[in-house]
Amino acid sequence: MSSSTATVPGRHAAQPRQDNRRWWALSVIALAQLMVVLDATIMSIALPSAQRDLGLTDGSRQWVVTAYTLAFGGLLLVGGRVADRVGRKRAFVVGLVGFGAASAVGGAATGPAMLFAARAGQGCFAALLAPSALSLLATTFTDGKERAKAFGVFGALAAAGGGIGLLLGGILTQYLDWRWCLYVNVAIAAVGVAGAAFFLDHRAGHRAAGFDGPGIVLGSGGLVTVVYAVSRAESDGWGSGTVLALLAGGVALLAAFTWWQARAASPLLPLRIIASRAHGGPVLTLCLAMVGLFGAFFFLTYYLQNVLGYSALKSGFAFLPMSATILLTSTQLSARLLSRVAPRLMIAPGLAIAAIGMLTFTALSTHSAYATHVLPGAVLLGFGMGLVFMPVMATATAGVAPQDAGVTSAAVSTAQQVGGSLGTALLNTVATSSTSHWISSRLAGDGTLTTAAQRRAMAGAGVVHGFVTAFWWAAAIMFAGALVAAVVINVPSPRHRATT
């Protein structure tokens, strides 16, 4: 009798320790995800200082951002398959170490070439780290309620990381030096490696996750070409012959990639994953959501700094309410609802609310106030995206075979990355062309603008008109995402699945 009662506490005591270890693992995974996401925006704030320090030309400065996004977006599918093959923890640690080392090189850069190479190195290791982190999360948390909470935290960081990057970049640049926007990753990576050693379980890779040589060439080549075309469109315009040729080439490579995946013995991205409404639907929805969200980050940053005259640091703080709303909604509302309702009943309304928030920005003018014209829309946008990110990521990675977890996570990360890049370039083109047309049409009909002050006022009003036009487009794209989520995603609620 006594021995029996003695063993029961031991069994029950072991479970909380195991649970605690799993939640510590979440903190390590989330930290790595935050590092990858914020690095997409943190250097945007630091770029003017880096340009002055290293003598970057106006034509070459874009490569500080482009080198990262090209390598990251182009190699994600390869990184996901490598994680499946060698083991997710091993790939995670290698990604952390490589990202930290590349960041150190970038922080110590003595010239443009060294900085560009370091940013490309960051992108390569981010392409290994991001799918490893998401697949570790998907395989570590399998219980419904725990999974919802874990994905709530992860999804919040994925959505709010861009705003956090803008804030952190402003703080580091203003009070230390632009180089600390890169050096900070060394400390984050070191903490992540130590945490991975203690809290992440090692699982052997899957030999069934073979390397598909032609698939790697076609898939990565197509993604790199499309991402590069999108980055060129920001400066050259969508009508540029170079941009159109690159887009055509990228689409052709991706079409060939799809054709090959249907025939390859060990495909890089099994088509059954993206053809499934349960997995492909959330991936498409996430891509559309990112188009709108990154457009909001981009244009609100320029509006706050160039129109309202905010400093980089003050602009970063202006994004805090949106980031905080995303975090609270993801962890306190979405995580509780996911175990009770079908995912699309959160995703579709969430995108509709985010679109309404975007529509409030269409009332902005050169004299708008932050508290009355920016803040309400930012909170609505944050609330809507908080309803979207967690269920999208949790649904897209649920029920996937272990040997496909990494590449499925990579497909989710690719949608996030390509959607953000595409949205920034597409909406920037819409804004600049709208501004040019608005100014030229008014100058042609009004010959009274003779003073410099009048011309500056006209230019400022034209820029805001371009931003407003872009916000209309972003809202429309988000409404389209809501429609896709409502029609395509067919996953029932966990409670319904449990009773059928």
Side-chain angles (χ1 to χ4, degrees):
M1 181 73 176
S2 59
S3 62
S4 174
T5 51
T7 58
V8 172
R11 289 200 304 267
H12 286 282
Q15 185 61 36
R17 286 197 297 271
Q18 180 64 26
D19 289 346
N20 289 337
R21 190 170 185 272
R22 197 157 55 245
W23 291 111
W24 277 107
L26 171 63
S27 67
V28 174
I29 296 168
L31 183 67
Q33 171 69 8
L34 178 62
M35 181 177 68
V36 169
V37 175
L38 66 82
D39 240 68
T41 57
I42 192 171
M43 283 301 294
S44 299
I45 294 292
L47 189 53
S49 299
Q51 182 176 359
R52 289 191 299 269
D53 195 10
L54 299 180
L56 302 177
T57 65
D58 288 345
S60 66
R61 66 185 178 185
Q62 67 165 329
W63 282 100
V64 175
V65 176
T66 302
Y68 179 79
T69 57
L70 269 181
F72 188 17
L75 297 175
L76 271 165
L77 290 177
V78 179
R81 187 50 92 192
V82 168
D84 288 332
R85 175 95 175 171
V86 305
R88 286 175 280 277
K89 178 181 177 180
R90 184 176 298 167
F92 182 81
V93 171
V94 171
L96 280 171
V97 171
F99 198 97
S103 299
V105 172
T110 56
M114 188 173 175
L115 179 59
F116 298 158
R119 289 288 286 168
Q122 284 183 306
C124 290
F125 286 105
L128 181 62
L129 184 58
S132 301
L134 184 53
S135 56
L136 276 169
L137 188 73
T139 55
T140 299
F141 293 91
T142 55
D143 175 75
K145 290 186 178 180
E146 286 192 348
R147 183 181 176 85
K149 292 177 183 178
F151 272 91
V153 173
F154 192 88
L157 292 177
I164 296 172
L166 292 171
L167 173 59
L168 184 60
I171 293 173
L172 294 174
T173 301
Q174 183 160 329
Y175 293 109
L176 292 173
D177 184 77
W178 69 266
R179 297 178 184 274
W180 281 97
C181 293
L182 293 164
Y183 285 143
V184 69
N185 293 322
V186 179
I188 296 174
V191 172
V193 170
F198 282 102
F199 301 116
L200 295 183
D201 294 327
H202 174 72
R203 293 186 179 91
H206 297 272
R207 289 292 176 184
F211 283 108
D212 174 18
I216 290 173
V217 173
L218 293 172
S220 297
L223 286 172
V224 166
T225 304
V226 169
V227 173
Y228 180 57
V230 167
S231 68
R232 285 290 298 265
E234 291 187 56
S235 57
D236 298 357
W238 287 94
S240 163
T242 301
V243 172
L244 292 175
L246 286 168
L247 281 174
V251 170
L253 285 171
L254 291 175
F257 170 74
T258 303
W259 175 85
W260 173 252
Q261 294 307 282
R263 291 157 177 79
S266 299
L268 179 65
L269 177 61
L271 294 184
R272 64 180 181 275
I273 294 174
I274 56 174
S276 163
R277 292 172 63 181
H279 301 115
V283 168
L284 178 58
T285 301
L286 178 61
C287 186
L288 293 171
M290 293 305 297
V291 170
L293 182 62
F294 267 66
F297 279 137
F298 183 81
F299 292 111
L300 284 179
T301 298
Y302 273 90
Y303 177 78
L304 292 171
Q305 294 190 28
N306 295 353
V307 178
L308 298 188
Y310 281 26
S311 66
L313 180 60
K314 190 176 181 180
S315 297
F317 275 107
F319 281 101
L320 270 184
M322 183 192 300
S323 301
T325 305
I326 292 173
L327 181 63
L328 288 173
T329 306
S330 294
T331 56
Q332 301 304 313
L333 182 58
S334 295
R336 300 175 191 273
L337 289 177
L338 186 62
S339 61
R340 296 177 171 85
V341 302
R344 65 179 174 183
L345 297 182
M346 285 188 288
I347 299 170
L351 274 171
I353 292 170
I356 293 170
M358 195 75 72
L359 286 176
T360 66
F361 298 142
T362 62
L364 293 176
S365 70
T366 55
H367 304 293
S368 297
Y370 172 81
T372 56
H373 292 84
V374 178
L375 182 60
V379 172
L380 273 176
L381 183 59
F383 181 78
M385 296 309 297
L387 288 173
V388 170
F389 267 85
M390 187 277 288
V392 157
M393 291 187 170
T395 304
T397 56
V400 177
Q403 65 268 23
D404 293 330
V407 75
T408 304
S409 300
V412 175
S413 299
T414 300
Q416 187 176 347
Q417 178 67 20
V418 173
S421 299
L422 181 63
T424 302
L426 173 64
L427 296 177
N428 187 46
T429 302
V430 168
T432 53
S433 61
S434 179
T435 294
S436 299
H437 182 267
W438 190 88
I439 291 176
S440 61
S441 64
R442 278 155 179 76
L443 287 176
D446 189 348
T448 63
L449 298 175
T450 57
T451 68
Q454 287 175 320
R455 289 193 292 271
R456 283 196 299 271
M458 173 67 75
V463 167
V464 174
H465 174 79
F467 291 170
V468 166
T469 303
F471 287 133
W472 277 108
W473 277 72
I477 292 169
M478 283 187 155
F479 275 123
L483 182 61
V484 169
V487 174
V488 177
I489 301 175
N490 62 346
V491 180
S493 68
R495 284 187 175 181
H496 180 74
R497 291 198 301 269
T499 59
T500 57

